[in-house]
Structure formats: C-alpha cells, structure tokens
Amino acid sequence: MATRRPDVLGNSIAEGTLLAALAAVLFGVTTPVIQRAGVDADPFSTALLLYAGAALATVPLPRAGMHAAREAREAPVARRHAARLVAIALAGGALAPACFAWGLQRTSAAGASLLLNFEAVFTALLAWRLHGEALGRRFLAALALMSAGGVTLALTNGAMGAPAGAGSGWGAIAVTAATLAWALDNALTRPLADLDPVQVVRFKGALGALASLLAFAAIGHAFPRWPHALALLACGATGYGVCLRLYLLAQRRIGAGRTGSVFALAPFVGAGVAWALGDRGPGLTTLTAGALFALAVYLHLTEHHEHRHTHARLAHEHGHRHDDGHHDHPHEAPVDGEHSHFHTHDPQTHEHAHGPDAHHGHAHESEG
C-alpha cells in the first residue's frame, strides 16, 4: 500500500550540500599552504605527513564517555571492509597526494587549485557508473557551472603559470591524475559513508601514511624541514582529516556524485587563498568564476527530489533514528535518539523528499 510519509527528510539535500561545501573550504585553503610547505620535500614524504595528520585528527579526546556514546550511535568498521579500505588508501591516501604534491612543485598554486575541478567531473561519472546515481538536469547544470568557473579561470588567470622551465605542463598532468585517483577514492568510499566516519578516516589515514612511508623508503629522497613538516601535519589534520569526516557525512545524505560536485568549490577557495597570498590574477575573471560557483551551489541547495518510490527488502547496519520515516522496526526495550545495530527493512512504498542515500538507490526513468 502506497503512503505519503511526512517530509522528515526534506532537508537532507541542503544539509549534505552544506557539509560538502564546508569540507571543500577546509580542503581548498590547504592547497597553497601545501605548495609552500612541500617545496623542499619528496612527494611521498608530503603524502605521508598529510595522511599522518589526518589519522592524528581522529585520536579521541580524554572524555571517554562522550567517545563511547558517539561510537554507540555509529556502525563500526569491520574486517569485511579491509580490502576496500586498502584500495581507498592506495588511491586516495598515497597515489593522489603524491601526484598532487609533485604537480604543485611544477605549476602555480592557483593553477593546481583550479585543475581540481576535474575531480567533480570524474566523481560524478564514477558515481553514475558504479552506484547508479541519477544525474538530473539540475545536478548536471550545477556541475557544468562548476566546471565553467574553473575553466574560465584556467584559461585567463594564468592557471598553468609556473616559473620558466618548471615543467608546468607535466605539473598540470600530475594534478589531473591526482583528481582521477581522488575521484576513484570518492566512489569507493561511498559504501563506507554509513559507517563511523571517525573510524573510516583513522583507517584511511593510517593506511595511506603507511603506503606513502613504504614508497618514500624505497624511492624517496627528501624529507621537509621540521617547520614545513609541522605545517603539512596541520594541513593533513584539517584539510584531509576533518574534511573527510564532513565529506563522508555529506555522502550519506546526497551520494557520491552530488557531494563531488559541491566539493568543486575547493578549487575556487584554493585559488582565492593563493591570490590573497600573492598569486595574482585578473580580478574580473575571479569575480565571474565566483558568480558561476555561487549559482551552482544555489542549484544544489534548492534541489528538491520527491516522487513515489518503492523500497525493496534491505538488511544493513548504520546509525539511525526511529522518527525518520524509514526505521520502524521494534526493539525489546524502547530506544530514543541515534543508535546503530544490524536491522532489516520490509518492502515499503511511499512518497517524500529524498537524496541518493543508503535507502534511496532506486532507478529513475528521468530526473529533473
């Protein structure tokens, strides 16, 4: 029997968009800093420090009671997730940051920041192919605006600019390769978005740092000076650790493709910080690109997807509440608030606003 559920999830797209935008800001501001701090470093040592910082950002605070309460609300990382975590760590925690660090040494900070726009395009395509996420007209329009903003700056703001003889062409290729590796990371991470984000960041950071350490030990040649090393650790804690936690929470609500598209704000943020630090470019071009990015975010924030849909029988574990319209299973003892355990959803047909989260992977004939 079809029912019309209360619009309890109506803000999920807006919430996910805001989380992804905040993650983009944290990541974007670190790009010019990484370029400066990594100038005397081997790419693998830079990657090592960034993901070691990300892992350190997950170390629990002394308030153990609050830590235990948070873990009780989230599904834990299990042994069955090991292979996926290793693949994510290799792609996003070792290969991508090493390519990015190498490219940053051979192109401008603004240029490298703007090239990160390709991550949104690659992520959207992989989310569509691997997870069947629908790419509606509004979403595609926002993605096009994000890409147009980056291309506008790249073509007219000296985005590929680098000191003469610095090999900016190869630098651009390396940064683009990093965006492809991070896009693969994003797509592979999507099934983990409903697990405890702190644990996911901890494992990814530790495994990525370990892979980078092994690569550095084998072929590395330069470790940064300690002031630069501390700066890279700080960038890793904020721009990679905290950022990834927010990114995972955004993926929970709006899926991999939309999160990746909103995350395309990061290149513009990075370019803006680089400009403020002296990497100047035409002001009119920057303002034009900023307007394109702002319009794209507006399209995401005002996206509303609602139709009658059917949920097949589903069994999984994740943090959930019993007032969200999807979790009405019984408990032997009453449970209030957020909690996590393995549970089963019976088949259900209803209508409400929703995003492409863990419960809404259904196919669409068309989407606007």
Side-chain angles (χ1 to χ4, degrees):
M1 177 179 178
T3 61
R4 173 66 166 90
R5 298 295 307 194
D7 195 13
V8 293
L9 299 178
N11 293 325
S12 63
I13 292 179
E15 290 174 359
T17 298
L18 289 173
L19 287 166
L22 182 55
V25 170
L26 290 176
F27 182 81
V29 297
T30 63
T31 297
V33 180
I34 292 170
Q35 187 201 40
R36 287 161 172 75
V39 68
D40 59 346
D42 179 273
F44 287 108
S45 66
T46 299
L48 163 63
L49 289 166
L50 289 174
Y51 277 87
L56 289 173
T58 67
V59 174
L61 296 174
R63 289 178 287 184
M66 293 181 62
H67 176 63
R70 177 191 56 75
E71 288 192 333
R73 297 195 301 267
E74 298 283 1
V77 173
R79 183 176 299 177
R80 65 180 182 277
H81 303 124
R84 183 176 293 273
L85 281 167
V86 169
I88 289 169
L90 290 175
L95 178 61
C99 289
F100 189 48
W102 192 88
L104 276 173
Q105 294 175 344
R106 290 159 177 81
T107 188
S108 68
S113 295
L114 299 172
L115 286 168
L116 291 173
N117 276 279
F118 287 110
E119 182 181 344
V121 179
F122 293 144
T123 299
L125 293 174
L126 287 171
W128 170 59
R129 292 297 300 169
L130 298 180
H131 303 301
E133 292 186 9
L135 306 182
R137 290 188 295 273
R138 197 178 188 89
F139 168 71
L140 290 173
L143 185 62
L145 287 169
M146 293 277 189
S147 300
V151 169
T152 298
L153 284 166
L155 292 177
T156 60
N157 201 31
M160 302 302 173
S168 60
W170 285 111
I173 291 172
V175 173
T176 303
T179 67
L180 179 58
W182 267 320
L184 179 60
D185 171 4
N186 295 337
L188 291 174
T189 299
R190 175 63 189 96
L192 304 180
D194 292 306
L195 305 180
D196 184 343
V198 175
Q199 289 190 18
V200 174
V201 174
R202 182 179 302 149
F203 280 108
K204 178 183 175 180
L207 290 171
L210 176 60
S212 296
L213 175 61
L214 294 175
F216 176 71
I219 59 176
H221 56 81
F223 197 83
R225 291 179 286 117
W226 284 110
H228 287 172
L230 292 175
L232 290 170
L233 281 172
C235 286
T238 56
Y240 290 74
V242 178
C243 167
L244 179 56
R245 287 170 65 177
L246 295 171
Y247 196 98
L248 289 166
L249 293 174
Q251 279 195 335
R252 263 185 208 182
R253 291 160 173 80
I254 59 177
R258 283 167 177 79
T259 302
S261 180
V262 178
F263 197 73
L265 276 171
F268 180 72
V269 173
V273 173
W275 184 89
L277 293 176
D279 192 354
R280 293 289 189 260
L284 180 59
T285 300
T286 303
L287 291 174
T288 301
L292 292 172
F293 276 88
L295 181 56
V297 173
Y298 170 77
L299 289 176
H300 279 298
L301 284 170
T302 57
E303 184 179 6
H304 185 82
H305 181 69
E306 180 172 354
H307 61 94
R308 182 161 295 179
H309 55 276
T310 298
H311 297 268
R313 185 178 179 84
L314 175 65
H316 59 178
E317 180 178 359
H318 65 97
H320 61 277
R321 302 175 59 91
H322 282 224
D323 57 359
D324 62 2
H326 288 92
H327 297 88
D328 53 3
H329 50 264
H331 285 265
E332 292 184 3
V335 177
D336 289 327
E338 193 88 6
H339 61 286
S340 177
H341 62 90
F342 191 83
H343 57 277
T344 300
H345 297 268
D346 293 325
Q348 182 182 30
T349 298
H350 60 184
E351 179 179 349
H352 64 87
H354 60 276
D357 56 28
H359 301 97
H360 298 92
H362 48 263
H364 297 79
E365 293 183 3
S366 63
E367 183 184 3

